[in-house]
Amino acid sequence: MKLTEVATQRFIDNITSITPGALKGGLQTVARNPQKTEMKVKSTAVGTDMTEKFYDELLIGGSDGVPRLYKMHRTQKRVIGDDFNKLREFPAMTGRINAAVFHPDGSKFAVGSSLDQKGEVRVYQTADAKVVTKLESQPGAVYSLAWRPDGAQIAVGSFDG
């Protein structure tokens, strides 16, 4: 996944690992957490800024069925083969992840997958990867998800309409 400045179309950084095969297939969906997360820098190296920082989180999903949470901006030098920006992997879903969306308060997210014309939606807690709920055996592949603005309901768009 690449981070690009829209106004100038300038490439900024690779967010995910650039090591071939690290993601085990293509990316299908990305979602940005609507809340910024606090992070304290742990390094005490000379010249390190020890102030509290806030960063954006991005959720990705794709053909391997594994939802992954990343920091948007790198805080250390890139090393080929690293996946430093990855914060957490969540339990794999059945099939390819086609849709991802954060709850309006960022505390949880939903991902939708499909395999053999059957879909599944899972809601995870962002902080600890706990599965909040599973909507299994959705008729047809799941392609789109949207939370109601108050977060009380989720809409699922699937192959059957």
Side-chain angles (χ1 to χ4, degrees), residues 4 9 21 23 63 72 80 102 110 112 132 138 140:
T4 304
Q9 299 179 14
L23 294 175
S63 61
M72 184 183 289
I80 298 300
F102 276 96
V132 176
Q138 296 293 303

Side-chain angles (χ1 to χ4, degrees), residues 42-119:
K42 294 180 181 176
S43 174
T44 57
V46 175
T48 301
D49 180 1
M50 295 298 292
T51 59
E52 293 181 3
K53 308 237 186 255
F54 293 89
Y55 62 90
D56 289 302
E57 291 177 340
L58 298 171
L59 176 68
I60 65 166
S63 61
D64 65 358
V66 179
R68 292 179 176 88
L69 188 65
Y70 282 84
K71 293 184 295 188
M72 184 183 289
H73 296 283
R74 180 169 289 279
T75 57
Q76 80 174 28
K77 182 180 176 190
R78 174 172 298 288
V79 176
I80 298 300
D82 79 353
D83 208 2
F84 176 76
N85 282 11
K86 182 170 66 176
L87 298 169
R88 181 174 298 109
E89 282 189 9
F90 296 82
M93 298 182 68
T94 302
R96 175 185 302 267
I97 295 175
N98 298 309
V101 64
F102 276 96
H103 186 274
D105 70 7
S107 66
K108 53 190 163 218
F109 65 86
V111 284
S113 70
S114 61
L115 180 66
D116 298 330
Q117 295 304 311
K118 292 183 182 161

Side-chain angles (χ1 to χ4, degrees), residues 4-46:
T4 304
E5 187 176 271
V6 175
T8 64
Q9 299 179 14
R10 182 178 65 91
F11 167 77
I12 297 172
D13 192 14
N14 287 298
I15 296 170
T16 56
S17 174
I18 59 173
T19 303
L23 294 175
K24 300 173 187 69
L27 296 180
Q28 195 74 14
T29 187
V30 62
R32 182 185 161 274
N33 190 332
Q35 303 298 317
K36 294 202 183 263
T37 303
E38 182 181 347
M39 174 184 67
K40 294 189 180 188
V41 177
K42 294 180 181 176
S43 174
T44 57
V46 175

